[in-house]
Each structure stands twice: as structure tokens, then as C-alpha cells.
Amino acid sequence: MTHLKLCEPSVKSEGFNVKTILSCLLVLAISVTLSNANCFLQPLKPGTPDGEIVGCHDSNGELHEFGSSWRNADCYDCSCSRSGIDCCSSFATPVDYNEEKCVSIFSKETCTYKVVEKDDHSKECPVYGWVG
């Protein structure tokens, strides 16, 4: 009598288990989705009248030393390097919720979104997906 083993992979390619490869690809695809932060690079501007670059000037004109990091007023985590100012969002944005019934509200004090009913902001709505 022949028994089929349904749980064991039967296809192998050069020592790699196809099921293992597919599992790794799935994890990679999920990781890319979860790390989809909103980032940008702002080039350096000369900081002195003679054109010398002495650090990074943010959008408010504040000077930051090379190697320093800060959170700006728009909830982006920024860092200063000789390449420029690199900023990424510090928050997740809701993307999968009932947009007919609910609205997302951003708080700059906490750098978070809250999704609530349009007619009653005291009632939170379920969110099924976030980006950032």
C-alpha cells in the first residue's frame, strides 16, 4: 500500500526546499509592506555668506549639527548628515477602514492618528490596515 505524505514538500531544487523559499518570499513581502514609511531627503543649504556648509538648516531655519537627530513639528524623525537632512514619518497612517462612516484625525501632540465616526468623534472605528 502506498501512502501519500501531504505535509511534506516533494519538490526540491538544488538542496533548497521550495516551501521554505516561498515562506521566505512571503515574509519579505509582508516586511516591505510594514516598513513603507514616508521619507524624504532635503539637500544641504550653504550656512554662511561665503557658502560654507556648517550643518543642516531645517524648514524653520534652525541649524542642526552633523550627526544630530530630532523630531520636527510635523512628526517626522530627521537626522543631519553631509548628504542632507533625511526625514521619515514617525507615525502610521490608517488605510483600511470604513471611509463612508469614519474619518481619520491626526494629532501633532501625540504624532498619531485616531479613526472615529464622522457623526460621533467619541466612538472609535476599527482599522484593518496601517502604512508607515
Side-chain angles (χ1 to χ4, degrees):
M1 181 187 294
T2 304
H3 295 283
L4 293 175
K5 295 183 179 181
L6 298 176
C7 294
E8 291 183 15
S10 60
V11 180
K12 291 191 178 189
S13 173
E14 296 185 21
F16 288 104
N17 180 318
V18 174
K19 212 175 206 182
T20 302
I21 292 171
L22 291 175
S23 297
C24 291
L25 289 174
L26 177 63
V27 168
L28 179 62
I30 291 170
S31 298
V32 169
T33 302
L34 294 176
S35 65
N36 189 14
N38 179 15
C39 299
F40 62 89
L41 178 66
Q42 178 182 330
L44 293 179
K45 298 175 188 172
T48 62
D50 64 356
E52 183 182 354
I53 297 176
V54 294
C56 301
H57 286 90
D58 64 20
S59 58
N60 296 325
E62 186 177 337
L63 178 64
H64 299 273
E65 294 180 4
F66 292 119
S68 64
S69 299
W70 67 97
R71 179 167 288 175
N72 70 17
D74 296 320
C75 297
Y76 280 78
D77 290 327
C78 301
S79 60
C80 174
S81 72
R82 298 206 180 269
S83 301
I85 299 176
D86 186 26
C87 297
C88 292
S89 59
S90 65
F91 51 88
T93 304
V95 293
D96 188 9
Y97 61 92
N98 184 341
E99 293 184 37
E100 289 180 21
K101 181 181 175 186
C102 304
V103 63
S104 65
I105 299 172
F106 187 72
S107 167
K108 283 191 176 183
E109 290 78 36
T110 61
C111 295
T112 58
Y113 276 97
K114 188 174 188 178
V115 181
V116 294
E117 290 185 7
K118 290 179 181 179
D119 297 332
D120 185 354
H121 286 194
S122 68
K123 294 182 181 177
E124 289 194 38
C125 296
V127 179
Y128 304 104
W130 297 83
V131 175

Coordinates of all heavy atoms in Angstrom, one line a residue, residues 35-102:
S35 N 7.1 48.3 6.3 CA 8.1 49.3 6.5 C 8.0 50.4 5.5 O 8.9 51.0 5.2 CB 9.5 48.6 6.4 OG 9.7 48.1 5.1
N36 N 6.8 50.6 5.0 CA 6.6 51.6 4.0 C 6.5 53.0 4.6 O 5.4 53.6 4.5 CB 5.3 51.2 3.2 CG 5.1 52.1 2.0 OD1 6.0 52.8 1.5 ND2 3.9 52.0 1.4
A37 N 7.5 53.5 5.2 CA 7.5 54.8 5.8 C 7.6 55.9 4.7 O 8.2 55.7 3.7 CB 8.6 54.9 6.8
N38 N 7.1 57.0 5.0 CA 7.2 58.2 4.2 C 8.5 58.9 4.5 O 8.6 59.5 5.6 CB 5.9 59.0 4.4 CG 6.0 60.3 3.5 OD1 6.7 60.4 2.6 ND2 5.1 61.2 3.8
C39 N 9.4 58.9 3.6 CA 10.7 59.5 3.8 C 11.1 60.5 2.7 O 10.6 60.3 1.6 CB 11.8 58.5 3.9 SG 11.6 57.3 5.3
F40 N 12.0 61.4 3.1 CA 12.5 62.3 2.0 C 13.9 62.8 2.5 O 14.2 62.8 3.6 CB 11.6 63.5 1.8 CG 11.3 64.4 3.0 CD1 12.2 65.5 3.2 CD2 10.3 64.1 3.9 CE1 11.9 66.3 4.3 CE2 10.1 65.0 5.0 CZ 10.9 66.1 5.2
L41 N 14.7 63.3 1.5 CA 16.0 63.8 1.7 C 16.0 65.2 1.2 O 15.7 65.5 0.1 CB 17.1 63.0 1.0 CG 18.5 63.5 1.1 CD1 19.0 63.4 2.6 CD2 19.4 62.7 0.2
Q42 N 16.4 66.2 2.1 CA 16.5 67.6 1.8 C 17.9 67.9 1.6 O 18.7 67.7 2.6 CB 15.8 68.4 2.9 CG 15.9 69.9 2.7 CD 15.3 70.6 3.9 OE1 14.4 70.1 4.5 NE2 15.8 71.8 4.2
P43 N 18.3 68.4 0.5 CA 19.8 68.8 0.3 C 20.2 69.9 1.2 O 19.4 70.7 1.7 CB 19.9 69.2 -1.2 CG 18.5 69.2 -1.7 CD 17.5 68.7 -0.7
L44 N 21.5 69.9 1.5 CA 22.1 70.9 2.3 C 22.1 72.3 1.7 O 22.2 72.4 0.4 CB 23.5 70.6 2.7 CG 23.7 69.3 3.6 CD1 25.2 69.1 3.8 CD2 23.0 69.5 4.9
K45 N 21.9 73.3 2.5 CA 22.0 74.7 2.0 C 23.2 75.4 2.6 O 23.5 75.1 3.8 CB 20.7 75.5 2.4 CG 19.5 74.9 1.9 CD 18.3 75.7 2.4 CE 17.0 75.0 2.0 NZ 15.8 75.5 2.7
P46 N 23.9 76.2 1.9 CA 25.0 76.9 2.5 C 24.6 77.7 3.7 O 23.5 78.3 3.8 CB 25.5 77.9 1.4 CG 24.9 77.3 0.1 CD 23.7 76.6 0.5
G47 N 25.4 77.6 4.8 CA 25.0 78.2 6.1 C 25.7 79.5 6.4 O 25.3 80.2 7.3
T48 N 26.7 79.9 5.6 CA 27.4 81.2 5.9 C 27.4 82.0 4.6 O 27.3 81.4 3.5 CB 28.8 80.9 6.4 OG1 29.5 80.2 5.4 CG2 28.8 80.1 7.7
P49 N 27.7 83.3 4.6 CA 27.7 84.1 3.4 C 28.8 83.6 2.4 O 28.6 83.8 1.2 CB 28.1 85.5 4.0 CG 27.6 85.5 5.4 CD 27.7 84.1 5.9
D50 N 29.9 83.0 2.9 CA 30.9 82.5 1.9 C 30.6 81.2 1.4 O 31.4 80.6 0.6 CB 32.3 82.6 2.6 CG 32.4 81.6 3.8 OD1 31.4 80.9 4.1 OD2 33.5 81.5 4.3
G51 N 29.4 80.6 1.7 CA 29.0 79.3 1.1 C 29.4 78.1 1.9 O 29.1 77.0 1.4
E52 N 30.1 78.3 3.0 CA 30.5 77.1 3.8 C 29.3 76.4 4.4 O 28.3 77.1 4.9 CB 31.4 77.6 4.9 CG 31.9 76.4 5.7 CD 32.8 76.9 6.9 OE1 33.1 78.1 7.0 OE2 33.2 76.1 7.7
I53 N 29.3 75.1 4.4 CA 28.2 74.4 5.0 C 28.6 74.0 6.4 O 29.6 73.2 6.5 CB 27.8 73.1 4.1 CG1 27.3 73.6 2.8 CG2 26.7 72.3 4.8 CD1 27.0 72.5 1.8
V54 N 27.9 74.4 7.4 CA 28.3 74.2 8.8 C 27.4 73.2 9.5 O 27.6 72.9 10.6 CB 28.3 75.6 9.5 CG1 29.4 76.5 9.0 CG2 27.0 76.3 9.5
G55 N 26.3 72.8 8.8 CA 25.4 71.9 9.4 C 24.1 71.8 8.6 O 24.2 72.2 7.4
C56 N 23.0 71.5 9.1 CA 21.7 71.4 8.4 C 20.8 72.4 8.9 O 20.5 72.5 10.1 CB 21.1 70.0 8.6 SG 22.2 68.6 8.0
H57 N 20.2 73.2 8.0 CA 19.1 74.1 8.3 C 17.8 73.5 8.0 O 17.6 73.1 6.8 CB 19.3 75.4 7.5 CG 20.4 76.3 8.0 ND1 21.7 76.1 7.6 CD2 20.5 77.2 9.0 CE1 22.5 77.0 8.2 NE2 21.8 77.7 9.1
D58 N 16.9 73.3 9.0 CA 15.6 72.7 8.7 C 14.7 73.8 8.1 O 15.1 74.9 7.8 CB 15.0 72.1 10.0 CG 14.8 73.1 11.1 OD1 14.7 74.3 10.8 OD2 14.6 72.7 12.3
S59 N 13.4 73.4 7.9 CA 12.5 74.2 7.2 C 12.2 75.5 8.0 O 11.7 76.5 7.4 CB 11.2 73.5 6.9 OG 10.6 72.9 8.1
N60 N 12.4 75.5 9.3 CA 12.2 76.6 10.1 C 13.5 77.5 10.2 O 13.5 78.5 10.9 CB 11.8 76.2 11.6 CG 10.5 75.5 11.5 OD1 9.6 75.8 10.7 ND2 10.3 74.5 12.4
G61 N 14.6 77.1 9.5 CA 15.8 77.9 9.6 C 16.7 77.5 10.7 O 17.8 78.1 10.9
E62 N 16.3 76.6 11.6 CA 17.1 76.2 12.7 C 18.3 75.3 12.3 O 18.1 74.4 11.4 CB 16.2 75.4 13.7 CG 17.0 75.0 15.0 CD 16.1 74.3 16.0 OE1 14.8 74.4 15.9 OE2 16.6 73.6 16.9
L63 N 19.5 75.6 12.8 CA 20.7 74.9 12.4 C 20.8 73.7 13.3 O 20.7 73.7 14.5 CB 21.9 75.8 12.6 CG 23.3 75.2 12.3 CD1 23.4 74.8 10.8 CD2 24.4 76.2 12.7
H64 N 21.1 72.5 12.7 CA 21.4 71.3 13.4 C 22.8 70.8 13.0 O 23.2 70.8 11.9 CB 20.4 70.2 13.0 CG 18.9 70.6 13.3 ND1 18.4 70.3 14.5 CD2 18.0 71.2 12.6 CE1 17.1 70.8 14.6 NE2 16.9 71.3 13.4
E65 N 23.5 70.3 14.0 CA 24.9 69.8 13.8 C 24.9 68.5 13.0 O 23.9 67.7 13.1 CB 25.6 69.6 15.1 CG 25.8 70.8 16.0 CD 26.5 70.5 17.3 OE1 26.9 69.3 17.5 OE2 26.7 71.4 18.0
F66 N 25.9 68.2 12.3 CA 26.1 67.0 11.6 C 26.1 65.9 12.6 O 26.6 66.0 13.7 CB 27.4 66.9 10.8 CG 27.4 67.8 9.6 CD1 28.4 68.8 9.5 CD2 26.5 67.7 8.6 CE1 28.4 69.7 8.4 CE2 26.5 68.5 7.5 CZ 27.5 69.5 7.4
G67 N 25.3 64.8 12.4 CA 25.2 63.7 13.3 C 24.1 63.8 14.3 O 23.8 62.9 15.0
S68 N 23.4 64.9 14.3 CA 22.3 65.1 15.2 C 21.0 64.6 14.7 O 20.8 64.4 13.5 CB 22.1 66.6 15.6 OG 21.8 67.4 14.5
S69 N 20.0 64.3 15.6 CA 18.7 63.9 15.2 C 17.6 64.6 16.0 O 17.9 65.1 17.1 CB 18.5 62.4 15.5 OG 19.5 61.6 14.8
W70 N 16.4 64.8 15.4 CA 15.3 65.5 16.1 C 14.0 65.1 15.5 O 14.0 64.5 14.4 CB 15.6 67.0 16.0 CG 15.4 67.5 14.6 CD1 14.3 68.1 14.0 CD2 16.4 67.5 13.6 NE1 14.6 68.5 12.7 CE2 15.9 68.1 12.4 CE3 17.8 67.1 13.5 CZ2 16.6 68.3 11.2 CZ3 18.5 67.3 12.3 CH2 17.9 67.8 11.2
R71 N 12.9 65.4 16.1 CA 11.6 65.2 15.6 C 11.1 66.6 15.3 O 11.0 67.5 16.2 CB 10.7 64.5 16.6 CG 9.3 64.4 16.0 CD 8.4 63.4 16.8 NE 8.9 62.0 16.6 CZ 8.4 61.0 17.2 NH1 7.5 61.1 18.1 NH2 8.9 59.8 16.9
N72 N 10.6 66.8 14.0 CA 10.1 68.2 13.7 C 8.6 68.4 14.1 O 8.0 67.4 14.5 CB 10.4 68.5 12.2 CG 9.5 67.6 11.2 OD1 8.5 67.1 11.6 ND2 9.9 67.6 10.0
A73 N 8.1 69.5 13.8 CA 6.7 69.9 14.2 C 5.7 69.1 13.5 O 4.5 69.0 13.9 CB 6.5 71.4 14.0
D74 N 6.1 68.5 12.3 CA 5.1 67.6 11.5 C 5.3 66.2 11.8 O 4.8 65.3 11.1 CB 5.4 67.9 10.0 CG 5.0 69.3 9.7 OD1 4.0 69.9 10.2 OD2 5.8 69.9 8.9
C75 N 5.9 65.8 12.9 CA 6.1 64.4 13.4 C 7.0 63.6 12.5 O 6.7 62.4 12.4 CB 4.7 63.8 13.6 SG 3.7 64.6 14.9
Y76 N 8.0 64.2 11.9 CA 9.0 63.4 11.1 C 10.2 63.3 12.0 O 10.7 64.3 12.6 CB 9.2 64.1 9.8 CG 8.2 63.8 8.8 CD1 7.0 64.5 8.8 CD2 8.4 62.8 7.8 CE1 6.0 64.2 7.8 CE2 7.4 62.6 6.8 CZ 6.2 63.3 6.9 OH 5.2 63.0 6.0
D77 N 10.8 62.2 12.0 CA 12.1 62.0 12.7 C 13.2 62.3 11.6 O 13.3 61.6 10.6 CB 12.3 60.5 13.2 CG 11.3 60.3 14.4 OD1 11.1 61.2 15.1 OD2 10.9 59.1 14.5
C78 N 14.0 63.3 11.9 CA 15.0 63.7 11.0 C 16.4 63.6 11.6 O 16.6 63.5 12.8 CB 14.8 65.2 10.7 SG 13.2 65.6 10.0
S79 N 17.4 63.5 10.6 CA 18.8 63.4 11.0 C 19.6 64.2 10.0 O 19.3 64.4 8.9 CB 19.3 62.0 11.1 OG 19.2 61.4 9.8
C80 N 20.7 64.8 10.5 CA 21.6 65.7 9.7 C 22.9 64.9 9.4 O 23.5 64.4 10.3 CB 21.9 67.0 10.5 SG 23.1 68.0 9.7
S81 N 23.2 64.9 8.1 CA 24.5 64.3 7.7 C 25.0 65.2 6.5 O 24.3 66.1 6.1 CB 24.3 62.9 7.2 OG 23.6 62.9 5.9
R82 N 26.2 64.9 6.1 CA 26.8 65.7 5.0 C 26.0 65.5 3.7 O 26.2 66.2 2.7 CB 28.2 65.4 4.9 CG 29.0 65.8 6.1 CD 30.4 66.1 5.9 NE 31.1 66.5 7.1 CZ 31.2 67.7 7.6 NH1 30.7 68.7 6.9 NH2 31.8 67.9 8.7
S83 N 25.1 64.5 3.6 CA 24.3 64.2 2.4 C 23.1 65.1 2.5 O 22.4 65.3 1.4 CB 23.9 62.8 2.4 OG 25.0 61.9 2.3
G84 N 22.7 65.6 3.6 CA 21.5 66.4 3.8 C 20.7 66.0 5.0 O 21.2 65.3 5.9
I85 N 19.4 66.5 5.0 CA 18.5 66.2 6.1 C 17.7 65.0 5.6 O 16.9 65.1 4.6 CB 17.6 67.4 6.5 CG1 18.5 68.5 6.9 CG2 16.6 67.0 7.5 CD1 17.7 69.8 7.2
D86 N 17.7 63.9 6.3 CA 16.9 62.7 6.0 C 15.8 62.6 7.0 O 16.1 62.6 8.2 CB 17.8 61.5 6.1 CG 17.1 60.2 5.6 OD1 16.2 60.3 4.8 OD2 17.5 59.1 6.0
C87 N 14.6 62.7 6.5 CA 13.4 62.6 7.4 C 12.5 61.5 7.1 O 12.2 61.3 5.9 CB 12.6 63.9 7.4 SG 13.6 65.4 8.0
C88 N 11.9 60.8 8.1 CA 10.9 59.8 7.9 C 9.8 60.0 8.8 O 10.0 60.4 10.0 CB 11.5 58.4 8.1 SG 12.7 57.9 6.8
S89 N 8.6 59.6 8.4 CA 7.4 59.8 9.3 C 7.6 58.9 10.5 O 8.1 57.8 10.4 CB 6.2 59.4 8.5 OG 6.2 58.0 8.1
S90 N 7.2 59.4 11.6 CA 7.3 58.7 12.9 C 5.9 58.0 13.2 O 5.8 57.5 14.3 CB 7.7 59.6 14.0 OG 6.6 60.6 14.2
F91 N 5.0 58.1 12.3 CA 3.6 57.7 12.6 C 3.1 56.7 11.5 O 3.7 56.7 10.4 CB 2.7 58.9 12.7 CG 2.8 59.8 11.5 CD1 2.0 59.6 10.3 CD2 3.7 60.8 11.5 CE1 2.2 60.4 9.2 CE2 3.8 61.7 10.4 CZ 3.0 61.4 9.3
A92 N 2.1 55.9 11.9 CA 1.4 55.1 10.9 C 0.1 55.7 10.5 O -0.5 56.4 11.3 CB 1.2 53.7 11.6
T93 N -0.2 55.6 9.2 CA -1.4 56.2 8.6 C -2.4 55.1 8.4 O -2.1 54.1 7.8 CB -1.0 56.9 7.3 OG1 0.0 57.8 7.5 CG2 -2.2 57.6 6.7
P94 N -3.6 55.3 8.9 CA -4.7 54.3 8.6 C -5.1 54.3 7.2 O -5.3 55.3 6.6 CB -5.8 54.8 9.5 CG -5.6 56.2 9.7 CD -4.1 56.4 9.6
V95 N -5.2 53.0 6.6 CA -5.5 52.9 5.2 C -6.7 52.0 4.9 O -7.3 52.0 3.8 CB -4.3 52.5 4.3 CG1 -3.3 53.5 4.3 CG2 -3.8 51.1 4.9
D96 N -7.1 51.2 5.9 CA -8.2 50.3 5.6 C -9.2 50.4 6.7 O -9.1 49.7 7.8 CB -7.6 48.8 5.5 CG -8.7 47.8 5.1 OD1 -9.8 48.2 4.7 OD2 -8.4 46.6 5.2
Y97 N -10.2 51.3 6.5 CA -11.3 51.5 7.5 C -12.5 52.0 6.7 O -12.4 52.3 5.5 CB -10.9 52.4 8.6 CG -10.6 53.8 8.1 CD1 -11.5 54.8 8.0 CD2 -9.3 54.2 7.7 CE1 -11.2 56.1 7.6 CE2 -9.0 55.4 7.3 CZ -9.9 56.4 7.2 OH -9.6 57.7 6.8
N98 N -13.7 52.0 7.3 CA -14.9 52.4 6.6 C -14.9 54.0 6.4 O -15.2 54.7 7.3 CB -16.1 52.0 7.4 CG -17.4 52.3 6.8 OD1 -17.5 53.2 5.9 ND2 -18.5 51.7 7.2
E99 N -14.5 54.4 5.2 CA -14.4 55.8 5.0 C -15.7 56.5 4.8 O -15.8 57.8 4.9 CB -13.5 56.1 3.8 CG -12.0 55.7 4.0 CD -11.1 56.0 2.9 OE1 -11.3 57.0 2.2 OE2 -10.2 55.2 2.6
E100 N -16.7 55.8 4.6 CA -18.1 56.4 4.5 C -18.6 56.8 5.9 O -19.2 57.8 6.1 CB -19.1 55.5 3.8 CG -18.8 55.3 2.3 CD -19.8 54.4 1.7 OE1 -20.9 54.2 2.2 OE2 -19.4 53.8 0.6
K101 N -18.3 56.0 6.8 CA -18.8 56.2 8.2 C -17.8 56.9 9.1 O -18.2 57.5 10.1 CB -19.2 54.8 8.8 CG -19.7 54.8 10.2 CD -20.0 53.4 10.7 CE -20.5 53.4 12.1 NZ -20.6 52.1 12.7
C102 N -16.5 56.8 8.8 CA -15.4 57.2 9.7 C -14.5 58.2 9.1 O -14.4 58.3 7.9 CB -14.6 56.0 10.2 SG -15.7 54.7 10.9

